[in-house]
Amino acid sequence: MSRQLSVTGFLKKPSSGGLERGEKRGSDVLEDNEEGGPAVTAVLSAAPGAKATSSGKEVRREYRVQWEREFTWLRAEGGKMFCDICRRAKANNGFVKGCTTIQKSALNDHKSSHSHIESCAVVNQSVQMEKHVEKSQVACNEALKTQLKVVLHMANTSTPSHQYPKLIHLLQSAGCPNLNTAHTYTHHDTVYQMEEAIAATITSAIDDRIASSRYVGVIVDETTNITVEKMLITYLSLQQNGEPETVFMGNYAIPSGTAECIAAKIKDVLSGRGVAMSRVVGLGSDGANVMVGRKNGVAQQLRQNDCPYLVNIHCGAHRTALAARDASKAVREIDAYVTTVNNTYTYYKNSPIRTHRLKELQKEMDEHDLLSLKQPSATRWLSLERAVKGMRANWVALVLELEEEEAARDCPVAKGLRRQLQKSTFPALTHLLTDVLSVVNRMNLTFQKEDVNISSIQPVVNMTLASLDDLISEPGVAERKFNEASQDGRFCGITLTQPDAQAFSKLRSQYLAEITKSVKKRFPEEHLGIIADLDTVLNASRYPTADSALKTHGLEALERVCDQYGSPRGAAAPLVENDRMQRDFLPMKRVLAGSGNPSFRGSCRLLITSLGEMFPDFRALAEVALVIPVSSVAAERGFSLQNKIKTATRSRLSEAKAQHLMSIASAAESIDTFDYTQASALFKSMRPRRKV
């Protein structure tokens, strides 16, 4: 108030005593002007009109930006001066409401005022508190990131949740700088929520990739888990800039294994993830009737109602395993051989004493690299080959140990097994099967690779058939070694019984003929259909080099592709324009041939990335061809993962928790590259948390 009175007195007409005061006051203003210099960036009127001193000179109060260098808290707005510090402290003074006394002396008075000093103290405390809170928040975030790393590692290694507190304690005792009791969670519900946040982060990234793929393929299979629940596992094949990939969608309990139930679940899963059924162009399965039935199978139901351009694929690995199984059942001696191998495995598996004696005998024979015995299984694709290799490696030791068992204990089982193993046909079949199964399982392993595509099917089948023809013509490597080592009815010093070279030759020819027939039956050329046509049209590595032959290459296949994808199917629009595609076929072939005749995948990548605008129809075909699943191996691996997670000791895992763990483990995210920022935000948003 005293300051306001002095300003009022200054503006009044002075008396003789007030004249001296006014003159002095006027000189102060002039001195300010002299200190400020001539550069004035803003003029703020302190009164509605200009006032005159006793000398008759008009005095103007001018705001100078140079003051802001001395008074860093000063701001000028709307003809008034404000104090940022007092504003922030929410003080009640003139510099909060706006000071109209545009003078440097007013600034000095405010700087030394009690209100400003208190505001400075309040703001300083606030700044210190904010720094402390920020530091604490950084510590909390780092601690949460470390705990998310632990949970991610546990999910990737199928470590049970109850081990989490022990792992955290281990890190704390090892001196991990980011963990202390104030920032650490230990409750099992929190571990579940961390798993949920990590799984949601992974799922969000997968959904983004799915959205960018115009077409997708579905891979499904059904099984029963350890708690005897019917489960349907689902994967999706998609492509990103010409690079195909397979992603995990989920493992769901279903009430029954009927085609209607499976088809309905597939629709629910895809719609829940924002995938339109019209985008589905391929279905990969194990070939069971419920999946591929021509009238009411899952593929037929999806094709009739929702996915008119869907192509159903019977898994190549399953076909190969079925071909080997069919040939074994067709030849009675092969079936009996498998039974003997299985009985031998069971005989030693059920007795640790016999197994110990067998190992001691192997040590005495100085054969340290012998394989262990394996059991052939109808549900494991490569089990018979491993069982045959184990039998081949252990045959001599088995015969000798069974002889000792028979002589010392008069064991009838040992006697029966020894007689079967000592028959001349048994070691001969062992070496024959070693050669044959290595050829068949090489095809099986090819179809289990991640990068297998539709162009791989026919070449791999042709290679297998050619290798089987070679075995028909002459013995393989293992069989030749057996023929060279067996002399005068003895093999490796052991006398063989019932030698009959003619009977074995007949058996050999019969089995090789059956395995060849089974492979051809399981992979008929006419059943490849649209798959082979897409390979013919798009695979530049198979284009002829001569231009005259290039002009006619693939014309018939292109016609069938046009019928499949260029004709309307119900309400669905065609995927390509037939006339334009036929017109562009020859230019497209010439461009790909000029690009070095790339492989099937390379051709599709070029059509999608570089040549898409030039050949839009062939770009669509390439996008379709890359996502058609050739095998359902991903689903089989998913079931192995399910059985690794939901075990007898963890049988009470809920479907949601098992789903989260499978999502994390399937993605196989590295703990060094995972997006912990998004996972942390999701974790914090789940519920109010005291520690974050």
Side-chain angles (χ1 to χ4, degrees), residues 8 13 37 55 68 75 129 161 250 263 296 320 375 393 410 449 471 523 583 632 643 658:
T8 305
K13 184 176 180 181
S55 61
E68 295 180 3
R75 297 291 180 269
M129 180 60 70
S161 298
N296 295 313
T320 307
Q375 183 180 27
D410 195 22
K449 292 182 178 179
L471 291 178
F523 293 92
R583 183 179 65 248
S632 62
N643 296 334

Side-chain angles (χ1 to χ4, degrees), residues 196-258:
E196 185 179 3
I198 294 172
T201 302
I202 293 172
T203 301
S204 176
I206 290 175
D207 287 344
D208 291 340
R209 299 202 297 273
I210 293 174
S212 64
S213 180
R214 180 157 47 154
Y215 304 108
V216 297
V218 178
I219 302 172
V220 293
D221 203 353
E222 53 177 332
T223 190
T224 302
N225 64 15
I226 195 168
T227 54
V228 200
E229 295 175 298
K230 196 74 170 176
M231 305 299 295
L232 181 71
I233 196 165
T234 309
Y235 283 79
L236 220 59
S237 59
L238 49 98
Q239 62 85 24
Q240 298 286 305
N241 297 321
E243 294 294 337
E245 67 170 316
T246 302
V247 296
F248 175 75
M249 294 293 284
N251 190 31
Y252 306 95
I254 53 177
S256 67
T258 62

Side-chain angles (χ1 to χ4, degrees), residues 536-540 543 550 558 581 583-595 603 607 611 614-615 618-619 621:
T536 301
V537 170
L538 299 175
N539 193 347
Y543 290 173
L550 185 64
L558 183 66
M581 187 164 63
R583 183 179 65 248
D584 291 344
F585 188 36
L586 181 57
M588 187 272 296
K589 289 187 289 184
R590 285 173 172 165
V591 170
L592 290 180
S595 301
S603 300
L607 289 170
L611 307 175
M614 189 183 302
F615 306 113
F618 290 100
R619 175 182 179 176
L621 286 183

Side-chain angles (χ1 to χ4, degrees), residues 570-583:
L575 304 186
V576 297
E577 294 183 16
N578 287 345
D579 294 340
R580 183 175 61 187
M581 187 164 63
Q582 291 176 345
R583 183 179 65 248

Side-chain angles (χ1 to χ4, degrees), residues 425-437:
T425 54
F426 190 91
L429 271 179
T430 299
H431 289 78
L432 171 63
L433 288 174
T434 300
D435 291 328
V436 174
L437 293 178

